[in-house]
Amino acid sequence: MAKSKFQIEEAYQELDTLIAHLESEETSLSDAFSDYKKGMKLLEKCQATLDTIEKEVILLREDGEEE
């Protein structure tokens, strides 16, 4: 099965869901810890994606200035 492409918008929606679940009084400590770890991994992936995009934009700007 092919791996789907990472979509930052979907990651932020999932983070919103995780936060809502963490804020619920009915969430067990075990579930909260699991949600926290999943959220941290998503945040790391989002940050890496944003860093890559920022570098690409800088390169495009530099290419545009040289022409």
Side-chain angles (χ1 to χ4, degrees), residues 24-38:
S24 171
E25 293 179 11
E26 296 164 7
T27 302
S28 70
L29 181 58
S30 176
D31 287 345
F33 186 62
S34 177
D35 287 349
Y36 176 80
K37 289 192 304 186
K38 188 174 184 178

Side-chain angles (χ1 to χ4, degrees), residues 1-7 10 13 16-17 19 22 25 27 30 34 36 42 49 51 54-55 57 61 67:
M1 180 168 37
K3 196 173 188 180
S4 63
K5 185 175 179 184
F6 179 76
Q7 297 291 322
E10 291 175 11
Q13 288 175 350
D16 284 340
T17 301
I19 290 168
L22 283 167
E25 293 179 11
T27 302
S30 176
S34 177
Y36 176 80
L42 276 172
T49 300
D51 288 344
E54 182 180 16
K55 289 174 186 173
V57 168
R61 281 186 185 168
E67 293 176 8

Side-chain angles (χ1 to χ4, degrees), residues 55-67:
K55 289 174 186 173
E56 289 176 4
V57 168
I58 290 169
L59 287 174
L60 287 172
R61 281 186 185 168
E62 289 173 355
D63 286 346
E65 291 174 1
E66 292 174 9
E67 293 176 8

